[in-house]
Amino acid sequence: MKLTFSPEDEAFRGEVAGWLRDNLVGEFEVLRYRGGPGDEHMFPEERKRWEQKLAEGGWTCVGWPQQYGGRGASIEQQVIFFEEYARAGAPGRVGHIGEGLAGPTLIAFGSEEQKQSYLPGIVAGTELWCQGYSEPSAGSDLANVRTKATQDTASGKWLINGQKVWTSLAHESDWCFVIARTDPDSQAHRGLGFFLVSMHQPGVTVRPIEQLTGTSEFNEVFFDDAVAADIVGEPGDGWKVAMGLLGFERGVSTLGQQMQFQNELDEIIRIAKANGAATEPSIRQRIAEAHTGLRLMRYNAMRMLSDNGSSEPDSSSLVYKLHWSSWHRNLGALAMDVLGPEAEIIESAPYNLTRLQSMFLFTRSDTIYGGTNQIQRNIIAERGLGMPKEPKGR
Amino acid sequence: MDFTFTEDQLAFREAISRFLMTEAPPEMLREIWDTDDGRSPELRSKMAAQGLTALSVPEALGGLGMDDVAWALMTQELGYYAIADSMADTAYVATGLLSALPEATPRRDEMLSKIAEGDARFAVGHPVNPLVADVHLADVILLEHNGEIHSVRRESIGFERNPSIDSSRRLSRITFSPSDETRIVDAAQGQAIWNQTLNRGALAVAGQSIGLAQRMLDLSIDYVVQRKQFGKPIGSFQAVKHHLAQVAEKIEFAKPVLYRAAHALAQGEANVDLHVSHAKLACCEAAWLAARHGIQVHGAMGYTWEVDLQMFMKRAWALDSSWGDRAFHKSRVATAVLADGAPIGPQFTFGE
């Protein structure tokens, strides 16, 4: 066990921090601490420019192999990058779905031609991606996909028909990766394909969903004879590709997420000290619990990453989502209790929430999106502990 | 020993419940809340016609003379249908305050009669609440100043509106100049009345929180029965069932606490603070859990503006820290239990 970073890594840390200090200024100053989860609707144009600014500095896709335009940074350096990025209060990345999900999937499963065609736009921060998985009838039951892909006999093109839902950033995206049923007679995870679909075509309609925050970060996306530009893998491989991709969701970016959590906790502690809530025994204990829960998360993430980023989920990664989502939900409640009777007062009419209110409301979705806590517990029990599967109705 | 309600009380509750079910559906509340004032004079006068504003005004002044125990039922209905603050504040909290004033207090009887007739909106400013609800339409605002009670008209004070996370709330920060003209009761008498008012406000929130919890539970049950995943209703999965069963458990274990506290307040019992704080904590906890588990079993749908659950969740969250937040009420319980010579032990615990 070695918990310190090498001199080279520390130098890298200095480089990252210095670049952010020099560049997160001017027109980007307004983006500090903005655009994260719960705030993704804010400053889209500035954040797109920021994405390209990062690319100019070589700070997109830092963990990708150099041959595909990445920095080929080690796990340690990726950790450092995400930590410094969050420490600086740099904004939520509009390109995170491309960099964190679409790109790694293409690198793992795409053809060489597909890699050459799609990866450069992600690295340059000029092409944004969204994820077409959930559907009205495919939520927790993700494999219950109804969206159809049919191959046009004349052109050989795949045509997509159906509806996706809860699609983050679809309204800002250029591309969507879609799982759709290639075999109309198939069920569940068999007979699916993984498609790359341009958002800029008549067959794609994006409709924003208004959230209880009064804002819209995610959307319904309707495909009506939309033409897929590509299929990754073979028809029928969709589930394998999609699940490989979910493995990428638990990556080094979790350490950046923890830094964001730390920023939130610091803010709550600052308020508690200022308004006297920190003298309340019940509040003190919950602040202490929040601190210990966050440390625990950090140690678990370090352990998770220490196997050199193997995408094979072990039990430390199976429990991770459940832990952070529950922790963050409690942090949201703590923020409201620390604010006391002032907690309900919003920033301004008609419905502009304060940062902590947005955080509080957003934490109510943390235990739902990306696999609910109940699904997570089933995964821990079934995949981690080898217990029998929950009976299904079909 | 009789821990039940009279037929009159239950019949009144039933009538109000049926009335609000048809007169205050969520789609209508959304329209009302969207307006600047956030209130509907028509709905208000219909509720008054049902007798709600007269409920605890003394019979001699044209009211029905019911007490806190009846209100423990009625506030649940106000919560269940997310009726805005003004009704409970006027008909229950302000009416209780005015009734407690010495009978010779100028305009006391006139104000109570007006409330009974449904013609007056009252707002109550207790220092435990940094903001006052429904000042913007109030005819009269009752305010605390160094233990005194002041009665002012809206035109004579300054107020700045502060929008809430709960779209039904209309809160204001108030500035006013207390004077001999505005004072209706001095501090010697005012202190006790303000303490009683705090308890009544807290109990009003407690009752509404139970109603909100029950509404969120009912909405959630409806949803998990019709929503299917893995080929069956999600309500058939144990993890989902247990979420809602736990909410039912919290609600059922909060109700008797609410009723016991209402009785203590109505009877002016010595340890009423303890009972009320216990009720506020238990009922708000039920509402918190109902919100948390309600949104969880609704999945992403519960996170949308369109689905009604959010209306009730936000109201539960907002009310949670009004009339004393959790820390305030926990500390009142602790103070009562840890006091030297506190009446604890079996002879007390089972002596009532």
Side-chain angles (χ1 to χ4, degrees):
Chain A
M1 191 180 290
K2 178 174 79 67
L3 297 179
T4 53
F5 291 98
S6 70
E8 294 76 29
D9 287 345
E10 289 300 343
F12 178 78
R13 185 186 295 280
E15 192 188 342
V16 177
W19 188 89
L20 288 166
R21 199 171 45 239
D22 295 342
N23 289 278
L24 190 56
V25 292
E27 63 165 327
F28 301 122
E29 188 71 44
V30 64
L31 295 179
R32 266 179 211 275
Y33 300 106
R34 301 310 300 260
D39 196 41
E40 287 205 278
H41 57 290
M42 289 305 292
F43 303 109
E45 294 311 317
E46 291 85 348
R47 283 162 61 218
K48 283 182 197 170
R49 286 202 294 278
W50 172 247
E51 195 71 19
Q52 290 165 27
K53 185 87 187 168
L54 282 172
E56 285 167 25
W59 297 114
T60 54
C61 309
V62 290
W64 288 16
Q66 284 174 344
Q67 67 181 116
Y68 299 121
R71 256 186 195 251
S74 66
I75 293 287
E76 283 81 0
Q77 292 191 350
Q78 293 177 53
V79 166
I80 287 169
F81 174 76
F82 283 108
E83 283 186 349
E84 291 307 316
Y85 190 86
R87 194 197 309 274
R93 296 276 305 276
V94 280
H96 71 95
I97 298 171
E99 173 174 326
L101 302 174
T105 300
L106 283 165
I107 291 171
F109 299 101
S111 69
E112 201 50 41
E113 197 185 337
Q114 288 170 343
K115 291 175 196 178
Q116 296 307 330
S117 157
Y118 297 103
L119 298 180
I122 298 174
V123 174
T126 50
E127 292 193 352
L128 304 180
W129 287 74
C130 60
Q131 172 180 347
Y133 279 14
S134 298
E135 297 183 7
S137 60
S140 286
D141 187 5
L142 187 57
N144 194 31
V145 168
R146 304 258 169 95
T147 296
K148 287 193 193 77
T150 44
Q151 198 162 19
D152 182 68
T153 41
S155 65
K157 292 276 183 196
W158 288 93
L159 298 179
I160 310 293
N161 282 284
Q163 183 195 348
K164 296 292 175 179
V165 72
W166 319 122
T167 315
S168 296
L169 290 171
H171 55 299
E172 302 290 351
S173 293
D174 305 291
W175 293 94
C176 185
F177 48 89
V178 175
I179 40 175
R181 202 159 288 288
T182 48
D183 174 0
D185 300 324
S186 66
Q187 277 202 334
H189 59 275
R190 286 172 293 274
L192 299 172
F194 189 100
F195 296 93
L196 310 180
V197 182
S198 166
M199 297 295 280
H200 307 296
Q201 56 173 311
V204 176
T205 309
V206 175
R207 205 157 65 194
I209 298 173
E210 190 174 10
Q211 303 163 200
L212 51 69
T213 49
T215 56
S216 299
E217 287 158 88
F218 43 70
N219 306 271
E220 295 176 287
V221 181
F222 300 88
F223 298 96
D224 182 15
D225 274 341
V227 181
D230 258 309
I231 177 168
V232 179
E234 296 298 314
D237 283 349
W239 188 252
K240 188 184 80 184
V241 177
M243 287 303 105
L245 189 152
L246 284 183
F248 300 120
E249 286 200 80
R250 296 179 293 262
V252 286
S253 64
T254 56
L255 283 136
Q257 180 195 42
Q258 291 171 19
M259 194 64 79
Q260 171 219 322
F261 290 168
Q262 184 70 58
N263 288 341
E264 291 166 357
L265 178 56
D266 288 349
E267 169 83 354
I268 291 166
I269 291 173
R270 191 187 61 73
I271 293 169
K273 283 178 169 173
N275 75 1
T279 60
E280 287 293 337
S282 59
I283 297 285
R284 292 176 73 81
Q285 290 189 4
R286 285 164 65 195
I287 288 175
E289 280 170 16
H291 171 81
T292 53
L294 184 54
R295 296 309 298 179
L296 174 59
M297 219 183 291
R298 180 169 174 78
Y299 301 146
N300 196 58
M302 285 162 68
R303 184 174 62 143
M304 218 158 76
L305 292 170
S306 293
D307 64 359
N308 237 350
S310 145
S311 62
E312 197 59 39
D314 68 355
S315 47
S316 68
S317 65
L318 290 180
V319 299
Y320 190 72
K321 163 91 203 305
L322 180 64
H323 179 80
W324 76 251
S325 64
S326 309
W327 179 91
H328 203 216
R329 180 188 61 198
N330 292 346
L331 189 77
L334 175 61
M336 293 299 100
D337 285 344
V338 161
L339 285 163
E342 302 277 351
E344 65 172 300
I345 307 306
I346 63 177
E347 184 101 16
S348 60
Y351 208 71
N352 300 315
L353 304 178
T354 65
R355 181 173 158 220
L356 285 181
Q357 282 168 343
S358 299
M359 186 273 277
F360 164 62
L361 292 183
F362 191 77
T363 62
R364 296 287 140 169
S365 73
D366 282 335
T367 57
I368 295 167
Y369 74 82
T372 65
N373 278 12
Q374 289 63 50
I375 291 295
Q376 298 298 334
R377 289 193 181 95
N378 277 1
I379 291 173
I380 293 167
E382 293 171 11
R383 268 201 264 159
L385 307 178
M387 291 164 72
K389 290 216 182 242
E390 184 116 19
K392 295 184 181 179
R394 54 165 192 263
Chain B
M1 227 295 301
D2 182 8
F3 210 71
T4 60
F5 294 90
T6 65
E7 280 183 24
D8 276 359
Q9 289 165 339
L10 293 172
F12 201 91
R13 175 196 192 155
E14 178 66 19
I16 292 298
S17 176
R18 283 169 188 276
F19 165 77
L20 291 176
M21 191 193 311
T22 51
E23 296 294 336
E27 57 274 22
M28 185 180 151
L29 294 182
R30 284 174 185 260
E31 278 178 32
I32 296 173
W33 296 355
D34 267 349
T35 63
D36 192 36
D37 281 343
R39 302 291 174 260
S40 155
E42 293 100 287
L43 180 59
R44 174 69 165 217
S45 61
K46 280 185 192 168
M47 286 195 284
Q50 292 291 313
L52 253 181
T53 56
L55 192 69
S56 54
V57 170
E59 283 173 290
L61 297 172
L64 300 168
M66 292 198 187
D67 65 8
D68 298 286
V69 175
W71 271 109
L73 297 177
M74 231 50 71
T75 49
Q76 289 179 61
E77 297 305 324
L78 296 181
Y80 193 88
Y81 294 102
I83 300 303
D85 300 312
S86 150
M87 177 51 72
D89 285 0
T90 299
Y92 182 35
V93 183
T95 300
L97 188 157
L98 294 170
S99 303
L101 295 174
E103 290 196 10
T105 310
R107 299 190 57 235
R108 170 189 180 270
D109 292 0
E110 184 197 331
M111 289 192 277
L112 283 166
S113 299
K114 280 206 153 188
I115 290 176
E117 288 159 17
D119 293 336
R121 285 177 187 266
F122 276 65
V124 181
H126 188 284
V128 78
N129 295 319
L131 296 116
V132 187
D134 278 86
V135 170
H136 67 299
L137 291 180
D139 300 293
V140 178
I141 302 135
L142 300 167
L143 294 168
E144 195 268 3
H145 176 70
N146 294 333
E148 302 162 350
I149 301 173
H150 292 258
S151 165
V152 297
R153 304 197 64 82
R154 186 178 72 240
E155 300 77 39
S156 66
I157 60 163
F159 65 96
E160 181 204 349
R161 287 167 69 163
N162 280 244
S164 164
I165 200 167
D166 165 13
S167 307
S168 80
R169 300 262 278 172
R170 293 294 182 276
L171 301 171
S172 299
R173 250 174 250 278
I174 285 190
T175 45
F176 88 112
S177 318
S179 68
D180 290 348
E181 284 72 48
T182 60
R183 184 177 55 241
I184 55 171
V185 168
D186 63 19
Q189 287 179 303
Q191 287 286 8
I193 297 176
W194 277 122
N195 189 51
Q196 195 188 67
T197 301
L198 165 63
N199 282 332
R200 198 157 277 126
L203 220 48
V205 167
Q208 290 178 79
S209 297
I210 285 296
L212 287 161
Q214 187 66 50
R215 183 61 171 274
M216 291 187 271
L217 178 58
D218 290 352
L219 289 170
S220 300
I221 293 167
D222 287 350
Y223 184 76
V224 303
V225 167
Q226 58 90 10
R227 168 71 175 169
K228 285 188 176 153
Q229 286 282 266
F230 304 106
K232 45 193 210 178
I234 61 169
S236 65
F237 292 107
Q238 211 172 39
V240 173
K241 267 190 194 125
H242 288 188
H243 263 66
L244 297 186
Q246 283 167 3
V247 174
E249 179 194 349
K250 283 281 182 212
I251 291 174
E252 291 314 318
F253 273 162
K255 280 183 190 167
V257 187
L258 172 68
Y259 302 156
R260 178 68 187 85
H263 180 76
L265 186 56
Q267 301 299 315
E269 290 181 22
N271 53 0
V272 60
D273 290 2
L274 173 63
H275 286 300
V276 169
S277 284
H278 184 185
K280 173 80 164 46
L281 289 165
C283 296
C284 287
E285 195 183 320
W288 257 94
L289 193 77
R292 193 177 120 180
H293 285 186
I295 192 172
Q296 191 68 22
V297 303
H298 271 78
M301 292 305 292
Y303 193 68
T304 62
W305 189 271
E306 176 193 344
V307 170
D308 291 335
L309 182 71
Q310 57 107 351
M311 302 166 64
F312 302 95
M313 287 196 296
K314 287 174 180 169
R315 192 151 170 76
W317 290 328
L319 289 182
D320 184 62
S321 57
S322 73
W323 293 101
D325 60 14
R326 214 168 305 148
F328 174 89
H329 287 287
K330 269 190 182 163
S331 115
R332 284 213 316 181
V333 172
T335 302
V337 173
L338 296 172
D340 289 336
I344 49 175
Q347 71 275 34
F348 296 107
T349 305
F350 303 107
E352 59 180 41

